[in-house]
Amino acid sequence: MPTTNRYKLIWKGVTVTLTYIQRGAMCNVPVAVVTGSNKGIGFSIVRALCHQFPGDVYVTARDPGRGQEAVKKLQEEGLHALFHQLDIDDLQSIRALRDFLKEKYGGLDVLVNNAGIAFKVHDTTPFAVQAEVTLKTNFFGTRNVCTELLPLVKPYGRVVNVSSMLSKSALGKCSGELQQKFRSNTITEDELVELMAKFVEDTKKGVHEKEGWPNTAYGVSKIGVTVLSRIQARMLNEKRKDDHILLNACCPGWVRTDMAGPKAPKSPDEGAETPVYLALLPSNVDGPHGQFVSEKTVQTW
């Protein structure tokens, strides 16, 4: 049924009543959101979803200009994508997206957490600064997006957290004690947050290696993303089992992007294959769920 909304507008001292007839909410339209998707792997994920996902697909980016450029580029390919601003380092920005999705679609069907940063190998920025900046975006920013948007995910929704094979290699370089904690099936989100914060503090004190951490801020941030995914999947099993939501972490591979450089063997479209596979898992399957997936294959964590 159409709903009628009336708004009063005062213009030059005259009160005008505007009548707006809303012809039904749009929440019947499925919606997919890809974070950090104005370029690179994120852009390729959006492109693939435009071809394969039966609904609205949103490019998100910190810079609206770059986001709109990405949408325009897809339009030139005959594809229809939409744009919404999102800076995962800004809680207000995340909540604005949350409110928009709730109001316009009544929720969310596919969420791909792709946004992330990495310092170049030869960057001379002090390691403690690299650690703080990298974890702020890759772990804490991604976690904030999940905190705000996971409650909106509809039954049979799909969530993909883009991690990296470097999370596995970084895990192997952690002390035995840290490895045990990160592989635990009972670690809580609060405990994980404490560990990620400890890594940053240990780098500031110059004791991170002594404390059992590897010498890679990016690797540790992606350990955080993978373990967070395992925890979130467990929570979905406990609280929303009947909703059949599937949530996984994945590695897109070494991909030619601004972040990874020109020597990587995979194109962005090839890097998008596993995230897109997980985003489009059919409604009649119950897995993978809570897994670390590479080349469309579940990896041992």
Side-chain angles (χ1 to χ4, degrees):
M1 288 287 290
T3 54
T4 303
N5 299 309
R6 288 185 174 83
Y7 301 95
K8 284 191 175 175
L9 175 69
I10 298 173
W11 184 66
K12 293 188 177 178
V14 179
T15 301
V16 181
T17 302
L18 300 174
T19 303
Y20 169 66
I21 299 174
Q22 188 177 327
R23 307 218 173 262
M26 289 183 67
C27 51
N28 292 339
V29 180
V31 59
V33 171
V34 184
T35 71
S37 51
N38 61 290
K39 62 179 182 177
I41 297 168
F43 181 78
S44 287
I45 293 170
V46 168
R47 178 194 274 134
L49 289 176
C50 284
H51 280 292
Q52 300 173 62
F53 179 74
D56 289 349
V57 183
Y58 277 82
V59 169
T60 68
R62 284 177 297 187
D63 180 334
R66 289 179 181 175
Q68 297 288 6
E69 268 176 44
V71 168
K72 192 179 169 192
K73 192 175 169 187
L74 290 163
Q75 279 172 348
E76 286 164 5
E77 295 177 21
L79 300 172
H80 177 66
L82 298 155
F83 172 73
H84 198 285
Q85 194 275 343
L86 176 66
D87 177 357
I88 73 166
D89 287 342
D90 179 356
L91 198 51
Q92 214 174 338
S93 172
I94 297 169
R95 286 175 174 164
L97 174 61
R98 175 201 67 190
D99 294 346
F100 167 78
L101 291 168
K102 204 170 179 178
E103 193 179 321
K104 180 158 186 176
Y105 297 94
L108 178 61
D109 298 276
V110 169
L111 171 63
V112 182
N113 281 306
N114 167 76
I117 61 161
F119 284 82
K120 301 292 183 192
V121 176
H122 301 297
D123 197 299
T124 55
T125 304
F127 188 68
V129 176
Q130 291 193 30
E132 186 163 29
V133 171
T134 304
L135 266 78
K136 181 186 177 187
T137 297
N138 294 3
F139 176 73
F140 291 103
T142 299
R143 176 181 177 246
N144 285 340
V145 172
C146 291
T147 300
E148 300 299 332
L149 298 191
L150 281 187
L152 266 63
V153 175
K154 295 179 182 181
Y156 298 95
R158 303 293 182 249
V159 181
V160 185
N161 293 331
V162 178
S163 184
S164 168
M165 266 304 178
L166 286 175
S167 69
K168 265 193 94 169
S169 59
L171 180 66
K173 291 173 186 169
C174 287
S175 66
E177 185 187 349
L178 282 173
Q179 287 188 41
Q180 197 175 357
K181 286 177 180 176
F182 288 133
R183 288 194 170 108
S184 164
N185 291 323
T186 56
I187 185 173
T188 66
E189 191 170 328
D190 287 345
E191 287 167 345
L192 176 61
V193 166
E194 272 181 39
L195 285 166
M196 293 290 109
K198 184 179 186 299
F199 170 69
V200 174
E201 287 309 308
D202 287 347
T203 63
K204 288 178 182 176
K205 294 174 192 166
V207 298
H208 65 281
E209 287 178 286
K210 181 171 156 283
E211 291 293 313
W213 297 102
N215 216 24
T216 162
Y218 183 79
V220 171
S221 76
K222 293 300 189 178
I223 289 174
V225 171
T226 303
V227 176
L228 181 66
S229 306
R230 286 160 57 87
I231 294 166
Q232 289 168 339
R234 222 170 59 221
M235 291 303 103
L236 285 169
N237 285 349
E238 287 175 19
K239 295 175 182 175
R240 297 185 64 184
K241 182 81 174 162
D242 294 339
D243 285 346
H244 305 282
I245 296 164
L246 298 180
L247 183 154
N248 293 282
C250 74
C251 168
W254 188 18
V255 178
R256 290 187 296 277
T257 60
D258 290 351
M259 189 190 288
K263 293 179 182 175
K266 280 187 171 187
S267 70
D269 285 350
E270 288 168 332
E273 285 177 10
T274 292
V276 170
Y277 156 73
L278 292 170
L280 297 176
L281 286 168
S283 59
N284 62 347
V285 301
D286 58 6
H289 179 56
Q291 301 293 338
F292 180 63
V293 181
S294 176
E295 306 294 342
K296 302 183 188 176
T297 308
V298 172
Q299 306 292 316
T300 306
W301 176 247

